[in-house]
Amino acid sequence: MHGAFDGLGRFAEPWLLVLTSLSDGPKHGYAIMVDVAAFSGVWMEPGTLYGALSRLERRGWVRPLAAAGHRRRYEIAAVWPAGDSHRS
């Protein structure tokens, strides 16, 4: 994963870029990679993307939607952890 955010440390973490991409709606993997590249200048390799999606899914932050053909789309599952008093 290389691009304009190389010097930003944790702000360029793949999970943060994935969540930012998904913030405007569900997307499949390739669409996430293209979106991240468009808004950040960072091209995520498939292993980086799907590793981040897997970790986010295990934490309950994203969830896969029913596959449309061979492409699985993902969406944000939770913005705050369950029980967080900051939810509206």
Side-chain angles (χ1 to χ4, degrees):
M1 187 178 85
H2 301 287
F5 289 141
D6 284 349
L8 292 180
R10 293 182 60 89
F11 293 109
E13 291 284 344
W15 64 268
L16 182 58
L17 296 171
V18 169
L19 287 177
T20 301
S21 176
L22 292 174
S23 69
D24 66 351
K27 293 182 184 74
H28 57 78
Y30 185 76
I32 294 170
M33 289 192 300
V34 170
D35 187 44
V36 166
F39 74 73
S40 72
V42 173
W43 182 257
M44 298 175 73
E45 296 296 326
T48 301
L49 170 67
Y50 290 104
L53 282 169
S54 177
R55 287 187 299 278
L56 289 167
E57 188 176 351
R58 281 194 310 269
R59 288 181 172 89
W61 289 17
V62 301
R63 64 178 162 233
L65 300 174
H70 66 282
R71 292 184 172 179
R72 173 176 282 172
R73 293 178 359 149
Y74 293 84
E75 68 176 356
I76 293 177
V79 177
W80 292 280
D84 191 320
S85 62
H86 293 95
R87 289 187 289 173
S88 322

